[in-house]
Amino acid sequence: MSGCFDIGDCTTLGSIFRFIIEHGSESLCNAWSKKQPLMVLFRDNLTYCLDSLVNSSEERYEIVCKTGYCGSWCNILFAAILSKKYSWMIKGCSPSKGVYPCYLFAKDLSEVYLTYMVASGDKYENTLKRIIKAIRELGVFEDYDLDASQMKLGKDPHKYRFATICFKKYAVNDLDNNARLEKDLQNLMKLHQMYGDKVFEAYALN
């Protein structure tokens, strides 16, 4: 098996995602804790990796990785890339408000999705559908998948499928090309920077 077994060796998107897909389910069989390898990988390795890829002196983003709390794993693990401009709260950023790039992980951790999404927490399904339709009418998402029903998110109580504007799917066989993973992220960040104002306007008005 070509995956890495020591999370300290997982320093790139490809190696981190491969560890999650190949070994993450072992952690899910046990109660969530801050010492679980999967939790440590998200909190330390993935947060640091994303921070190094998206942050610069010109642009600053907050990386929020969520795996669980109070002994329970999240229904869907995710890593959101937030900015105060488009993902706001009274104090700092939150994935519960705004629009942002985000990695979602399949319910069974068999796939990773690079998504561009809107916060779903306080929106009804019909409202989310109207928001997504308005945003997609910008016509800048031709290079992405739009059929979120393909995403393996289980019962999806947080409505992530309805909140996804567009996405790219990665299975384990897609993870050897780390340069491609980084390029896909960089392209989505550029799209977010170029069209974030219009996307956020469509989100805020609906």
Side-chain angles (χ1 to χ4, degrees):
M1 186 179 296
S2 60
C4 58
F5 294 87
D6 183 348
I7 62 173
D9 296 331
C10 299
T11 58
T12 65
L13 287 178
S15 62
I16 292 169
F17 293 160
R18 180 175 290 278
F19 185 95
I20 292 170
I21 289 176
E22 293 185 343
H23 306 292
S25 59
E26 299 169 16
S27 289
L28 295 184
C29 292
N30 300 298
W32 178 90
S33 77
K34 294 181 179 179
K35 294 182 179 180
Q36 281 281 3
L38 189 60
M39 165 58 191
V40 175
L41 189 73
F42 270 78
R43 184 194 64 207
D44 297 341
N45 304 50
L46 184 54
T47 299
Y48 180 82
C49 181
L50 291 176
D51 181 79
S52 66
L53 289 171
V54 304
N55 278 320
S56 66
S57 58
E58 292 80 22
E59 298 284 347
R60 299 301 301 173
Y61 297 92
E62 181 178 340
I63 311 301
V64 175
C65 294
K66 291 292 185 181
T67 58
Y69 48 89
C70 298
S72 299
W73 294 96
C74 291
N75 182 65
I76 297 296
L77 280 55
F78 69 85
I81 303 171
L82 309 178
S83 68
K84 291 182 179 180
K85 187 175 183 181
Y86 302 126
S87 179
W88 81 101
M89 290 289 282
I90 295 175
K91 294 182 179 180
C93 304
S94 170
S96 65
K97 293 288 185 181
V99 298
Y100 46 86
C102 182
Y103 285 103
L104 296 177
F105 294 81
K107 176 69 173 176
D108 62 0
L109 300 184
S110 63
E111 297 174 344
V112 185
Y113 310 105
L114 172 61
T115 70
Y116 194 31
M117 62 188 305
V118 303
S120 60
D122 61 350
K123 303 288 187 182
Y124 292 107
E125 288 182 9
N126 287 338
T127 303
L128 288 169
K129 290 178 181 178
R130 186 169 64 249
I131 292 171
I132 298 303
K133 182 177 184 294
I135 292 172
R136 287 179 177 171
E137 287 175 352
L138 293 172
V140 297
F141 306 106
E142 294 86 352
D143 295 333
Y144 296 85
D145 291 323
L146 302 179
D147 183 8
S149 66
Q150 301 177 46
M151 301 166 72
K152 299 163 64 174
L153 302 179
K155 294 182 179 180
D156 195 22
H158 299 292
K159 305 185 290 290
Y160 291 138
R161 288 190 187 92
F162 295 101
T164 296
I165 302 166
C166 63
F167 70 98
K168 285 185 180 290
K169 179 180 72 174
Y170 307 107
V172 68
N173 293 332
D174 302 315
L175 302 179
D176 290 331
N177 190 345
N178 190 69
R180 177 200 167 194
L181 298 175
E182 292 186 0
K183 185 66 174 178
D184 287 346
L185 175 59
Q186 290 165 359
N187 287 341
L188 184 58
M189 296 305 297
K190 288 178 182 177
L191 186 149
H192 184 46
Q193 292 161 7
M194 292 174 63
Y195 296 99
D197 287 341
K198 293 182 178 180
V199 170
F200 186 74
E201 181 181 6
Y203 168 81
L205 292 178
N206 285 276

